[in-house]
């Protein structure tokens, strides 16, 4: 699973494309309550999804 920003970087039109009008949500997110550092957004989201999947009791 990739964020829009990650897919755009792969396809060559991402944040470094030079277009001043582009906005890249989820490019970087604060890893909270982790270490609080700014990290690639996809890494943070996938990490949280894995944590919740492992922490949730099965119904």
């Amino acid at each position: 699973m990739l964020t829009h920003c990650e897919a755009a970087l792969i396809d060559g039109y991402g944040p470094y494309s030079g277009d001043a009008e582009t906005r890249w949500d989820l490019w970087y997110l604060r890893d909270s309550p982790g270490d609080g550092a700014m990290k690639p957004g996809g890494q943070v989201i996938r990490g949280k999804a894995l944590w919740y999947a492992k922490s949730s009791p099965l119904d």
Side-chain angles (χ1 to χ4, degrees):
M1 191 62 86
L2 299 174
T3 65
H4 180 244
C5 182
E6 291 169 324
L9 285 168
I10 291 168
D11 289 342
Y13 72 96
Y16 302 110
S17 68
D19 184 354
E21 296 298 315
T22 59
R23 302 290 181 265
W24 296 101
D25 60 328
L26 308 179
W27 187 8
Y28 281 89
L29 295 173
R30 189 165 308 282
D31 186 17
S32 180
D35 62 11
M38 295 297 285
K39 295 183 179 174
Q43 177 183 331
V44 173
I45 293 169
R46 288 185 294 274
K48 289 183 181 298
L50 288 171
W51 184 87
Y52 282 108
K54 292 177 183 177
S55 300
S56 297
L58 297 175
D59 292 8

